[in-house]
Coordinates of all heavy atoms in Angstrom, one line a residue:
D1 N 0.9 -1.2 0.0 CA 0.0 0.0 0.0 C 0.9 1.2 0.0 O 1.8 1.4 0.8 CB -0.9 0.0 1.2 CG -1.9 1.1 1.2 OD1 -1.5 2.3 1.5 OD2 -3.1 0.9 0.9
P2 N 0.7 2.2 -0.9 CA 1.6 3.3 -1.0 C 1.5 4.3 0.2 O 2.4 5.0 0.4 CB 1.1 4.1 -2.3 CG -0.3 3.6 -2.5 CD -0.4 2.2 -2.0
V3 N 0.4 4.2 1.0 CA 0.3 5.0 2.1 C 0.8 4.4 3.4 O 1.6 4.9 4.1 CB -1.2 5.4 2.3 CG1 -1.4 6.3 3.6 CG2 -1.7 6.2 1.1
T4 N 0.3 3.1 3.7 CA 0.7 2.4 4.9 C 1.9 1.5 4.8 O 2.5 1.1 5.8 CB -0.5 1.6 5.4 OG1 -0.7 0.6 4.4 CG2 -1.7 2.5 5.5
N5 N 2.3 1.3 3.5 CA 3.5 0.4 3.2 C 3.2 -1.0 3.7 O 4.1 -1.8 3.8 CB 4.8 0.9 3.9 CG 6.0 0.3 3.2 OD1 6.0 0.0 2.0 ND2 7.0 0.0 4.0
S6 N 1.9 -1.4 3.9 CA 1.6 -2.7 4.3 C 1.5 -3.6 3.1 O 1.1 -3.2 2.0 CB 0.3 -2.8 5.1 OG -0.8 -2.2 4.3
L7 N 1.8 -4.9 3.2 CA 1.8 -5.9 2.1 C 0.3 -6.1 1.7 O -0.5 -6.4 2.5 CB 2.4 -7.2 2.6 CG 2.5 -8.3 1.6 CD1 3.4 -7.9 0.4 CD2 3.1 -9.6 2.2
T8 N 0.1 -6.0 0.4 CA -1.3 -6.2 -0.1 C -1.4 -7.4 -1.1 O -2.4 -8.1 -1.2 CB -1.8 -5.0 -0.8 OG1 -1.0 -4.7 -1.9 CG2 -1.9 -3.8 0.1
A9 N -0.3 -7.7 -1.8 CA -0.4 -8.8 -2.8 C 1.0 -9.3 -3.1 O 2.0 -8.6 -2.9 CB -1.1 -8.3 -4.1
R10 N 1.0 -10.5 -3.7 CA 2.3 -11.1 -4.1 C 2.1 -11.4 -5.6 O 1.1 -11.9 -6.1 CB 2.5 -12.4 -3.4 CG 3.8 -13.1 -3.7 CD 4.3 -14.0 -2.5 NE 4.7 -13.1 -1.4 CZ 4.6 -13.5 -0.1 NH1 4.1 -14.7 0.2 NH2 5.0 -12.7 0.8
V11 N 3.2 -11.1 -6.4 CA 3.1 -11.1 -7.9 C 4.1 -12.0 -8.4 O 5.3 -12.0 -8.0 CB 3.3 -9.7 -8.4 CG1 3.1 -9.7 -9.9 CG2 2.3 -8.7 -7.8
L12 N 3.7 -12.8 -9.4 CA 4.7 -13.7 -10.2 C 4.8 -13.1 -11.6 O 3.9 -12.9 -12.3 CB 4.1 -15.1 -10.3 CG 4.8 -16.1 -11.2 CD1 6.2 -16.4 -10.7 CD2 4.0 -17.3 -11.5
T13 N 6.1 -12.9 -12.0 CA 6.4 -12.4 -13.3 C 7.4 -13.3 -14.0 O 8.2 -14.0 -13.3 CB 6.9 -11.0 -13.3 OG1 8.1 -10.9 -12.5 CG2 5.9 -10.0 -12.8
H14 N 7.2 -13.5 -15.3 CA 8.2 -14.2 -16.1 C 8.6 -13.2 -17.2 O 7.8 -12.9 -18.1 CB 7.6 -15.4 -16.7 CG 8.5 -16.2 -17.6 ND1 8.4 -16.3 -18.9 CD2 9.6 -17.0 -17.3 CE1 9.3 -17.1 -19.4 NE2 10.1 -17.5 -18.4
G15 N 9.9 -12.8 -17.1 CA 10.3 -11.7 -18.0 C 9.5 -10.4 -17.7 O 9.6 -9.9 -16.6
T16 N 8.8 -9.9 -18.7 CA 8.1 -8.6 -18.5 C 6.6 -8.8 -18.2 O 5.8 -7.9 -18.2 CB 8.3 -7.7 -19.7 OG1 7.7 -8.4 -20.8 CG2 9.7 -7.4 -19.9
T17 N 6.2 -10.1 -18.1 CA 4.8 -10.4 -18.1 C 4.3 -11.0 -16.8 O 5.0 -11.8 -16.2 CB 4.4 -11.5 -19.2 OG1 4.9 -11.0 -20.5 CG2 2.9 -11.7 -19.3
V18 N 3.2 -10.4 -16.2 CA 2.6 -10.9 -15.0 C 1.9 -12.2 -15.3 O 1.1 -12.3 -16.2 CB 1.7 -9.9 -14.4 CG1 1.0 -10.5 -13.2 CG2 2.4 -8.6 -14.0
H19 N 2.2 -13.2 -14.4 CA 1.5 -14.5 -14.6 C 0.8 -15.0 -13.3 O 0.5 -16.2 -13.3 CB 2.5 -15.6 -15.1 CG 2.8 -15.4 -16.6 ND1 2.0 -15.7 -17.6 CD2 3.9 -14.9 -17.2 CE1 2.5 -15.4 -18.7 NE2 3.7 -14.9 -18.5
G20 N 0.6 -14.2 -12.4 CA -0.1 -14.6 -11.2 C 0.0 -13.5 -10.1 O 1.0 -12.9 -9.9
I21 N -1.2 -13.2 -9.5 CA -1.2 -12.2 -8.4 C -2.1 -12.9 -7.3 O -3.2 -13.4 -7.6 CB -1.8 -10.9 -8.8 CG1 -1.1 -10.3 -10.0 CG2 -1.8 -9.9 -7.7 CD1 -1.8 -9.1 -10.6
Q22 N -1.6 -12.8 -6.1 CA -2.4 -13.3 -4.9 C -2.5 -12.2 -3.9 O -1.6 -11.6 -3.4 CB -1.7 -14.5 -4.3 CG -2.6 -15.1 -3.1 CD -2.0 -16.4 -2.6 OE1 -0.8 -16.7 -2.7 NE2 -2.9 -17.2 -2.0
N23 N -3.8 -11.9 -3.6 CA -4.1 -10.9 -2.5 C -3.7 -11.6 -1.2 O -4.1 -12.8 -1.0 CB -5.6 -10.6 -2.5 CG -6.0 -9.8 -3.8 OD1 -5.3 -8.9 -4.2 ND2 -7.1 -10.3 -4.4
V24 N -3.0 -10.9 -0.3 CA -2.6 -11.5 1.0 C -3.4 -10.9 2.1 O -3.2 -11.2 3.3 CB -1.1 -11.3 1.2 CG1 -0.3 -12.0 0.1 CG2 -0.8 -9.8 1.2
L25 N -4.3 -9.9 1.8 CA -5.2 -9.4 2.9 C -6.1 -10.5 3.4 O -6.6 -11.3 2.6 CB -6.0 -8.2 2.4 CG -5.1 -7.0 1.9 CD1 -6.0 -5.9 1.4 CD2 -4.3 -6.5 3.1
P26 N -6.4 -10.5 4.7 CA -7.3 -11.6 5.3 C -8.6 -11.6 4.6 O -9.3 -10.6 4.3 CB -7.5 -11.1 6.7 CG -6.2 -10.3 7.0 CD -5.9 -9.6 5.7
G27 N -9.0 -12.9 4.2 CA -10.3 -13.1 3.5 C -10.2 -13.0 2.0 O -11.2 -13.4 1.3
L28 N -9.1 -12.5 1.5 CA -9.0 -12.4 0.0 C -7.9 -13.3 -0.6 O -7.7 -13.3 -1.8 CB -8.6 -11.0 -0.3 CG -9.5 -9.8 0.1 CD1 -9.0 -8.5 -0.3 CD2 -10.9 -10.1 -0.6
E29 N -7.3 -14.2 0.2 CA -6.2 -15.0 -0.2 C -6.6 -16.0 -1.4 O -5.8 -16.4 -2.2 CB -5.6 -15.8 0.9 CG -5.0 -15.0 2.0 CD -6.0 -14.7 3.1 OE1 -7.2 -14.8 2.9 OE2 -5.5 -14.3 4.2
T30 N -7.9 -16.5 -1.4 CA -8.3 -17.4 -2.4 C -9.2 -16.8 -3.5 O -9.8 -17.6 -4.3 CB -9.1 -18.6 -1.7 OG1 -10.2 -18.1 -1.0 CG2 -8.2 -19.3 -0.7
V31 N -9.2 -15.5 -3.6 CA -10.0 -14.9 -4.6 C -9.2 -14.9 -5.9 O -8.1 -14.4 -6.0 CB -10.3 -13.4 -4.2 CG1 -11.0 -12.7 -5.4 CG2 -11.2 -13.3 -3.0
P32 N -9.7 -15.5 -7.0 CA -9.0 -15.6 -8.3 C -8.7 -14.1 -8.8 O -9.6 -13.3 -8.8 CB -9.9 -16.3 -9.2 CG -10.8 -17.2 -8.3 CD -11.0 -16.3 -7.1
T33 N -7.5 -13.9 -9.3 CA -7.1 -12.6 -9.7 C -6.6 -12.6 -11.1 O -6.7 -13.7 -11.8 CB -6.0 -12.0 -8.8 OG1 -4.9 -13.0 -8.8 CG2 -6.5 -11.9 -7.3
S34 N -6.0 -11.5 -11.5 CA -5.4 -11.3 -12.9 C -6.3 -11.8 -14.0 O -7.4 -11.5 -14.1 CB -4.0 -12.0 -12.9 OG -4.1 -13.4 -12.7
Y35 N -5.7 -12.7 -14.9 CA -6.5 -13.1 -16.0 C -7.6 -14.1 -15.7 O -8.4 -14.5 -16.6 CB -5.6 -13.8 -17.1 CG -4.3 -13.1 -17.3 CD1 -3.1 -13.6 -16.8 CD2 -4.2 -11.9 -18.1 CE1 -1.9 -12.9 -17.1 CE2 -3.1 -11.3 -18.4 CZ -1.9 -11.8 -17.8 OH -0.7 -11.1 -18.1
Y36 N -7.6 -14.5 -14.4 CA -8.5 -15.6 -14.0 C -9.6 -15.2 -13.1 O -10.2 -16.0 -12.4 CB -7.7 -16.7 -13.3 CG -6.3 -16.9 -14.0 CD1 -5.1 -16.4 -13.4 CD2 -6.2 -17.5 -15.2 CE1 -3.9 -16.6 -14.1 CE2 -5.0 -17.7 -15.9 CZ -3.9 -17.3 -15.3 OH -2.7 -17.4 -15.9
A37 N -10.0 -13.9 -13.1 CA -11.0 -13.3 -12.3 C -12.3 -14.1 -12.6 O -12.5 -14.7 -13.6 CB -11.2 -11.8 -12.5
R38 N -13.3 -13.9 -11.6 CA -14.5 -14.7 -11.7 C -15.3 -14.4 -12.9 O -16.1 -15.2 -13.4 CB -15.3 -14.5 -10.4 CG -14.7 -15.0 -9.2 CD -15.6 -15.2 -8.0 NE -14.9 -15.6 -6.8 CZ -14.6 -16.9 -6.6 NH1 -14.9 -17.8 -7.4 NH2 -13.9 -17.2 -5.5
R39 N -15.2 -13.2 -13.4 CA -16.0 -12.8 -14.6 C -15.3 -12.9 -15.9 O -15.7 -12.6 -17.0 CB -16.5 -11.3 -14.5 CG -17.5 -11.1 -13.3 CD -17.9 -9.7 -13.2 NE -18.4 -9.1 -14.4 CZ -17.9 -8.1 -15.1 NH1 -16.8 -7.5 -14.5 NH2 -18.3 -7.6 -16.2
S40 N -14.1 -13.5 -15.8 CA -13.3 -13.8 -17.1 C -13.9 -15.1 -17.7 O -14.7 -15.8 -17.1 CB -11.8 -14.1 -16.7 OG -11.7 -15.2 -16.0
G41 N -13.5 -15.4 -18.9 CA -14.0 -16.5 -19.6 C -13.7 -17.8 -18.9 O -14.6 -18.7 -18.8
V42 N -12.5 -18.0 -18.4 CA -12.2 -19.2 -17.7 C -12.9 -19.3 -16.3 O -13.3 -20.3 -15.9 CB -10.7 -19.4 -17.5 CG1 -10.1 -18.4 -16.6 CG2 -10.3 -20.8 -17.1
G43 N -13.1 -18.1 -15.7 CA -13.7 -18.0 -14.4 C -15.2 -18.5 -14.5 O -15.7 -19.3 -13.7
L44 N -15.9 -18.0 -15.5 CA -17.3 -18.3 -15.7 C -17.4 -19.8 -16.1 O -18.4 -20.5 -15.6 CB -17.9 -17.5 -16.8 CG -18.1 -16.0 -16.5 CD1 -18.4 -15.2 -17.7 CD2 -19.1 -15.8 -15.4
T45 N -16.5 -20.4 -16.8 CA -16.6 -21.8 -17.2 C -16.3 -22.7 -16.1 O -17.1 -23.6 -15.8 CB -15.6 -22.1 -18.4 OG1 -15.8 -21.2 -19.4 CG2 -15.8 -23.5 -18.9
L46 N -15.3 -22.5 -15.3 CA -14.9 -23.3 -14.2 C -15.9 -23.2 -13.1 O -16.2 -24.2 -12.4 CB -13.5 -23.1 -13.7 CG -12.4 -23.4 -14.7 CD1 -11.0 -23.0 -14.1 CD2 -12.4 -24.9 -15.1
A47 N -16.4 -22.0 -12.8 CA -17.4 -21.8 -11.8 C -18.7 -22.6 -12.0 O -19.5 -22.9 -11.1 CB -17.7 -20.3 -11.6

């Protein structure tokens, strides 16, 4: 967080491309993020 400097997420990159983000705030750890959000094509199919 730019104000509190508290940890909010962990990010996986390969080269210049993001390939995974995990929210680390309590209650959000298992929320699908990045390209895999619930309203994405894969999110709607798997859900």
Side-chain angles (χ1 to χ4, degrees):
D1 186 284
V3 177
T4 65
N5 198 36
S6 59
L7 182 63
T8 61
R10 184 155 291 152
V11 182
L12 169 68
T13 56
H14 180 249
T16 60
T17 307
V18 173
H19 284 289
I21 306 172
Q22 183 171 24
N23 296 312
V24 298
L25 297 176
L28 299 179
E29 296 93 342
T30 60
V31 173
T33 59
S34 62
Y35 315 106
Y36 319 107
R38 296 197 183 279
R39 294 179 52 240
S40 66
V42 70
L44 293 170
T45 305
L46 294 178

